[in-house]
Amino acid sequence: MQAKTIRRWSFVHTWTSLICTLFLLLLAVTGLPLIFHHEIDHLLGDAPELKVLPADTPRLDLQQLVLNAQAHRPGEAMQYVGWDEDDRNGVIAIMAATAATEPNASHTFMLDARTGEVVEMPSANGGFMLTMLRLHVDLFAGLPGKLLLAFMGLLFVVAIISGGVLYAPFMRRLDFATVRHDKSRRLRWLDLHNLIGIVTLTWALVVGLTGVISALSDLVIAAWRNDSLTAMVAPYRDAPPLSELAPVSRVLDIAAEAAPGMQPDFIAFPGTRFSSEHHYAVFMKGSTHLTAHLLTPVLIDARTLAVTAVGERPWYMDAMGLSQPLHFGDYGGRPMQILWALLDVLTIIVLASGVYLWWVRRRAAVPAVEMTR
């Protein structure tokens, strides 16, 4: 590689890294507890606990659970009903002032499907873990914060690629994984910076790209609403507003018949951003680690309970669904969590050492410039 080309790549790597480093350090630090969010919730006592009942205890009718939720928060609108990943007896309810209220202003709690009792979920509505999540997702700034982090993620990807390009000519005269302990501190850190960077390169690219996709989730959902959802509910464009909703008792059975071999992930009630003003949208998922993150919406008329559409999944919704488990490493159990945490710590070292190397080089350059005057 020619010296001029190396200087260009070095310029790109230096400045893309410096611009995004502060934000990437924040994301890496906040992402570390999010990898173990279930464990931390239990440690802090924020994890919802259901009563221990006989395994054959029958579950209540879904409509009864909805009524219990509405009685718990009277005057609010039901937005979503879902199921706890660890215990299907835990029914998660999300309510807000109106169905269209934005997610950060909603209230999340759990219902015991067998007794109908309400169990609060502190970590879903405040506290340490929600603070970490909001800092990681949008910096408490909503869509502008997400777009800023998406841009920083793109710079991070460019920094990774440019660092990989520079690694080959840098290591031309050294064996792989060489750390020159007999040299200056700056050179030792440079060797470590390059070694850790090249070892974690693939993982960092995956996390960076999936982070960008996740940060653009609001735009992805808006595109789905304007494209797929609008087409599916077109016959209801001029329909009068609903005066009353049909009970949701049979909604899951209806959705299962429309999407055989799949199981429900959550129900979006009329008026939410995942549904229309006239439909229950039951989002169905597969049973494997991969297909469990690929959701198929079944639209059910909220007055007649007739299935009006089974949506096809656009590629960008699949990309968003797959990006989140890859980003947080929560699809492979405890070994994957530990691996993701170790790689996260190594990334923090790479980011911090990059700033250190730039600062040391900058300080060394100042006296040299003054001597030439």
Side-chain angles (χ1 to χ4, degrees):
M1 189 181 294
Q2 295 181 353
K4 188 175 182 180
T5 303
I6 293 176
R7 285 196 298 271
R8 287 174 178 172
W9 278 109
S10 179
F11 177 85
V12 170
H13 181 70
T14 298
W15 289 104
T16 53
S17 301
L18 286 174
I19 292 170
C20 72
T21 288
L22 180 63
F23 292 95
L24 264 296
L25 277 172
L26 173 66
L27 294 177
V29 170
T30 56
L32 198 55
L34 290 174
I35 296 172
F36 300 101
H37 64 97
H38 288 297
E39 292 79 2
I40 293 175
D41 282 345
H42 282 283
L43 183 65
L44 297 177
D46 291 339
E49 296 287 344
L50 299 180
K51 290 182 177 179
V52 178
L53 297 174
D56 58 352
T57 302
R59 295 178 181 176
L60 296 177
D61 179 85
L62 184 58
Q63 180 63 21
Q64 182 60 55
L65 294 175
V66 170
L67 293 176
N68 285 14
Q70 292 171 335
H72 178 63
R73 298 187 69 83
E76 293 192 353
M78 181 66 70
Q79 292 183 301
Y80 306 100
V81 167
W83 286 265
D84 184 64
E85 294 179 0
D86 300 322
D87 188 347
R88 296 293 286 186
N89 289 318
V91 177
I92 299 172
I94 301 178
M95 300 183 68
T98 67
T101 298
E102 62 99 15
N104 291 325
S106 300
H107 184 80
T108 302
F109 55 98
M110 182 180 288
L111 296 152
D112 190 320
R114 304 157 299 177
T115 65
E117 294 180 355
V118 172
V119 181
E120 287 295 343
M121 301 175 65
S123 63
N125 301 292
F128 173 74
M129 289 309 301
L130 186 62
T131 299
M132 293 296 100
L133 181 63
R134 289 294 307 277
L135 285 172
H136 194 84
V137 170
D138 65 3
L139 302 175
F140 286 93
L143 181 59
K146 290 182 179 181
L147 294 179
L148 174 62
L149 292 180
F151 178 63
M152 293 301 156
L154 286 174
L155 290 180
F156 181 52
V157 170
V158 174
I160 294 169
I161 294 172
S162 57
V165 171
L166 289 170
Y167 185 76
F170 175 81
M171 295 299 294
R172 191 166 44 201
R173 298 178 182 176
L174 297 173
D175 293 332
F176 178 77
T178 296
V179 177
R180 292 168 287 181
H181 295 285
D182 57 331
K183 300 295 182 179
S184 66
R185 177 187 298 178
R186 187 185 73 82
L187 284 178
R188 290 199 302 271
W189 272 110
L190 178 62
D191 291 341
L192 283 170
H193 176 83
N194 291 332
L195 173 60
I196 297 173
I198 202 65
V199 168
T200 61
L201 184 142
T202 301
W203 177 84
L205 269 177
V206 169
V207 171
L209 289 172
T210 54
V212 171
I213 295 171
S214 295
L216 297 175
S217 60
D218 284 356
L219 299 183
V220 171
I221 293 170
W224 174 77
R225 284 185 57 85
N226 293 331
D227 183 13
S228 299
L229 184 60
T230 298
M232 287 190 288
V233 303
Y236 289 79
R237 185 176 298 132
D238 299 321
L242 289 173
S243 58
E244 187 176 353
L245 299 180
V248 295
S249 302
R250 295 182 51 244
V251 163
L252 296 183
D253 293 333
I254 294 170
E257 291 178 5
M262 305 185 78
Q263 58 183 0
D265 187 65
F266 70 94
I267 302 171
F269 278 63
T272 60
R273 64 175 180 164
F274 286 98
S275 187
S276 77
E277 298 290 340
H278 299 86
H279 291 86
Y280 294 118
V282 183
F283 282 78
M284 307 292 285
K285 63 182 181 180
S287 56
T288 67
H289 284 302
L290 177 63
T291 59
H293 300 283
L294 303 177
L295 303 181
T296 298
V298 178
L299 295 189
I300 300 173
D301 188 302
R303 183 177 62 85
T304 66
L305 296 184
V307 175
T308 64
V310 178
E312 295 183 359
R313 298 190 308 267
W315 66 268
Y316 48 84
M317 289 294 282
D318 281 355
M320 185 181 74
L322 292 173
S323 67
Q324 294 179 356
L326 282 173
H327 187 72
F328 289 108
D330 59 358
Y331 62 91
R334 185 61 54 81
M336 187 66 74
Q337 287 179 302
I338 294 173
L339 175 62
W340 245 239
L342 290 173
L343 290 168
D344 190 294
V345 171
L346 289 175
T347 300
I348 293 173
I349 295 173
V350 170
L351 293 168
S353 61
V355 174
Y356 165 76
L357 290 168
W358 172 80
W359 179 251
V360 170
R361 185 176 179 182
R362 183 174 179 273
R363 287 183 61 188
V366 171
V369 171
E370 292 178 348
M371 291 178 62
T372 60
R373 291 178 180 176

